[in-house]
Amino acid sequence: MVTRRPSCFGLYSKITGGQRIDMFGARVEQLPAIWRRLVDAGFESGHAYGKSLRTVKSCVGTTWCRYGVQDSVGLAVALELRYRGLRSPHKIKSGVSGCARECAEARAKDFGVIATENGWNLYVDGNGGFTPRHAELLVSDVDTETLVKIIDRFLMFYIRTADRLQRTAPWIEAMEGGLDHLRAVIVDDSLGICADLEAAMEAHVADYADEWRGVLEDEEKLSRFVSFVNAPDTPDPTITFVEERGQPVPAREPMLIGLPQVQR
Ligand code: SF4
């Protein structure tokens, strides 16, 4: 059994490939205090739980790599700041690679960007998961301003036309005309809706607010963070942890998968 000092949450932590900090093992009643400490330190929610933008992975690009032809880190940061908190039919992942070697695996993302000598190539409608699909090239050698404008349109068109829980890959496969139709709509503006899509994205960017901070500033929302509504000071006694590799993990029965069990 893992015991924790009151001032130390003792969370299982790791850095993700998408440049997030994973933290596991918080009890629901601990969340406001954890968020308070993180918000005060300048962190904000990464929406790991949401049907929303998750990550914009990047390689180091020209910042550190001799092969890099563009600043992939700078673009990834800009894209993440622009689309953070964007609610969508399903999770959205992105990546930016600084050259065609593709270390950020941008072609496995809902929208991925690969640097070229002349600008950026934009790939769309890829994913990993149960049914992997390589993203397809939508536009090539565009400058940063054009790239962002097309991503704005792509994301808003997806959000407005996909079914709930439909990621971009099945969305494009179900679309009549497929990638050619998508390109006609969001690059060539064949339906005359691009200004509307761009305005919707601008509204999202202007309205963004960190959801952790929002909870901390709302007494009614804060009151929901208890294990039992009729005993708000009582933590759920069924949640216990054991230690593995120096960090806490859930105490649970070994899984019966027909393989020798690894001793903790
Ligand atoms: S994708 Fe290219 S620029 Fe980025 S780390 Fe890999 S080799 Fe370097």
Side-chain angles (χ1 to χ4, degrees):
M1 178 84 65
V2 175
T3 53
R4 306 177 186 193
R5 285 177 283 125
S7 61
C8 172
F9 299 106
L11 305 180
Y12 182 106
S13 305
K14 76 178 186 57
I15 309 297
T16 77
Q19 294 135 198
R20 291 289 198 273
I21 303 173
D22 272 350
M23 290 175 282
F24 298 89
R27 312 179 67 94
V28 65
E29 61 274 9
Q30 292 177 311
L31 289 174
I34 293 169
W35 291 344
R36 168 61 63 201
R37 200 176 288 183
L38 290 169
V39 166
D40 287 349
F43 289 88
E44 59 186 32
S45 169
H47 297 94
Y49 44 81
K51 301 305 179 204
S52 58
L53 180 80
R54 292 286 180 85
T55 62
V56 183
K57 184 177 180 178
S58 80
C59 73
V60 290
T62 48
T63 310
W64 277 103
C65 180
R66 63 192 167 125
Y67 297 119
V69 290
Q70 303 288 349
D71 178 14
S72 52
V73 176
L75 179 66
V77 170
L79 294 178
E80 187 157 322
L81 291 175
R82 185 166 184 80
Y83 303 125
R84 60 187 170 175
L86 181 66
R87 287 294 188 266
S88 54
H90 210 305
K91 62 186 174 187
I92 298 173
K93 294 189 173 185
S94 180
V96 183
S97 285
C99 81
R101 289 167 183 79
E102 248 285 68
C103 295
E105 299 166 324
R107 292 189 63 201
K109 308 299 184 193
D110 296 279
F111 68 98
V113 183
I114 300 179
T116 71
E117 296 281 351
N118 304 313
W120 306 100
N121 286 353
L122 174 61
Y123 296 80
V124 294
D125 304 318
N127 63 224
F130 270 119
T131 313
R133 182 182 195 272
H134 260 152
E136 295 177 276
L137 181 63
L138 183 68
V139 290
S140 53
D141 289 332
V142 292
D143 60 43
T144 305
E145 186 182 346
T146 305
L147 175 80
V148 171
K149 186 177 291 191
I150 295 173
I151 297 173
D152 282 3
R153 297 171 180 178
F154 167 73
L155 290 174
M156 274 301 161
F157 189 51
Y158 163 63
I159 288 168
R160 290 186 169 186
T161 62
D163 290 335
R164 275 184 287 179
L165 298 181
Q166 185 179 42
R167 284 195 73 178
T168 57
W171 170 68
I172 193 70
E173 285 173 3
M175 186 184 296
E176 198 171 326
L179 187 70
D180 288 341
H181 176 67
L182 178 67
R183 186 181 289 112
V185 172
I186 65 170
V187 179
D188 304 330
D189 200 11
S190 61
L191 299 180
I193 61 172
C194 285
D196 182 40
L197 298 175
E198 289 171 24
M201 187 59 79
E202 290 299 342
H204 159 75
V205 174
D207 290 345
Y208 169 79
D210 175 36
E211 292 171 6
W212 287 349
R213 186 182 291 274
V215 171
L216 294 173
E217 294 170 352
D218 185 324
E219 287 299 326
E220 194 279 323
K221 287 180 182 169
L222 274 175
S223 69
R224 300 176 199 165
F225 287 81
V226 292
S227 291
F228 305 104
V229 290
N230 56 349
D233 297 325
T234 304
D236 184 343
T238 66
I239 299 175
T240 55
F241 301 92
V242 296
E243 194 169 290
E244 182 176 283
R245 294 186 290 272
Q247 297 209 82
V249 297
R252 60 190 167 212
E253 296 296 317
M255 284 190 296
L256 299 175
I257 55 175
L259 295 171
Q261 296 297 321
V262 176
Q263 297 299 313
R264 293 188 186 280

